[in-house]
Amino acid sequence: MSKDGRVTQNGGGLRLAQVKDKTVTEHGQSGVSQTAGPVQSGVSMTSLDQAFKVSVVIPVRNEVGSLPELIASLQLQTFPPAEVVIVDGGSTDETVAQARRLTADDHRFRVLEAGKATPGRGRNIGIAAACNDWIALSDAGNRLEPQWLERLIAVVQRDPAVEFVYGNFEPIVDSFFTRCASLAYIPPKQARPGGLIRVPFIASSLVRREAWRQVGGFPDLRAAEDLMFIEMIEQQGCKIGWAPQATVWWHMQPTLSGTYKRFALYSRYNVWAGRQRFWHYGIARQYLLVLIFLVLALVHSPWWLGVIALGLAARVGKSIWGRRREGPGLGWLFNPFQFLGVALIILTVDLATFVGWAQALLQRPAIAANPEVTRD
């Protein structure tokens, strides 16, 4: 692994060491990447002007289809980012070439090739190479609303002590399947300071780089690294801000097979990260009850199968009812075809959960330490 952006401790203070590893290249050229200057803490702002500069960091891999929309939305920001660092994690399609072609006339964009980097390591590489103290994070597969960055920054403008800002995300619903998928696994909005917002979403966030350093950066994982980073930020005691109107639109998997593969991957990496208690154990308890009722149906009466059906119906109903304020009306809420579609997706996610769990137990790779962010 490369050692670009290594953070070391020197005389009680943190500094950004020189980037020396030539496995990370910028615009296809090997050599030393640009490093950040001194980090200023406690930035105080009176207006959203160019004195407040933000770097946007985006890890990508095989995103040739979604990259044009993302880059266009970045270029339309009402508060233009000072730079955009795109970190490619080993694409096998034309992602890198396309990124360079789409940004050739925009000096703010930099494209780094990081080999087979996970999203966690890709973010670390991008943040280490960024030139500014404030880092906005998003992902390929998203479309940013024009005022996304401006609204994230406004939170820090109101309270300069804030070190991390949560934005909002919305699923892109463009088919019957994605509508059912959004009901099956997208959580409803919750009340937060400033309005309603969904669960914390790393791909719509703003972080002070010093906070990133203090927690040791993102874990080197392909999934769950965002949840772990958010937990570390909160455990560190960093002051959190909320920007419910800073919205990114997220492309979900458009097919059942794609959904299965994605959640199997999520499941596998969550197990490797030791996070079963947050997801897997709850699903396992539900299916233990299913097993009990199956046994009762076999040895006592088939009517016990009705309890299983009612349990699934309750899960589906809870998912749909939780989003009742987001639908167009009661007809949408009680659509039987939608109900069956949500049920199918929930069962598919459950299956992917168990398959990913089994794969993780059989493979059990070691979780690598972060070479980009270290404390000597």
Side-chain angles (χ1 to χ4, degrees), residues 312-331:
L312 176 60
R315 286 183 67 189
V316 175
K318 182 179 178 181
S319 295
I320 297 175
W321 185 253
R323 301 281 300 282
R324 62 191 180 278
R325 295 184 179 89
E326 302 175 37
L330 291 179

Side-chain angles (χ1 to χ4, degrees), residues 13-27:
L14 292 173
R15 63 181 175 84
L16 185 63
Q18 187 180 33
V19 180
K20 294 182 178 180
D21 196 318
K22 294 187 179 182
T23 63
V24 179
T25 62
E26 182 175 0
H27 291 286

Side-chain angles (χ1 to χ4, degrees), residues 19-20 47 53 65 71 157 178 198 207 238 241 270 282 288 314 321 325 327 339 358 361 365 370:
V19 180
K20 294 182 178 180
S47 63
K53 295 183 178 180
I71 289 175
Q157 183 190 30
T178 54
R198 299 198 190 278
V207 61
C238 297
N270 271 268
L288 179 59
W321 185 253
R325 295 184 179 89
F339 194 93
L361 294 176
N370 253 328

Side-chain angles (χ1 to χ4, degrees), residues 12 26 91 94 100-101 106-107 119 127 154 158 182 202 217 221 238 245 252 255 273 282-283 318 329 332 339 346 370:
E26 182 175 0
S91 293
E94 296 298 314
R100 291 174 181 154
R101 183 171 62 252
D106 194 332
H107 70 278
I127 295 171
R158 291 192 296 270
S182 72
I202 201 66
L221 293 169
C238 297
Q245 286 75 44
M252 297 178 292
T255 65
I283 298 296
K318 182 179 178 181
W332 169 86
F339 194 93
I346 286 177
N370 253 328

Side-chain angles (χ1 to χ4, degrees), residues 39-55:
V39 175
Q40 299 177 354
S41 300
V43 177
S44 178
M45 298 176 296
T46 58
S47 63
L48 291 177
D49 56 28
Q50 291 303 312
F52 185 73
K53 295 183 178 180
V54 179
S55 299

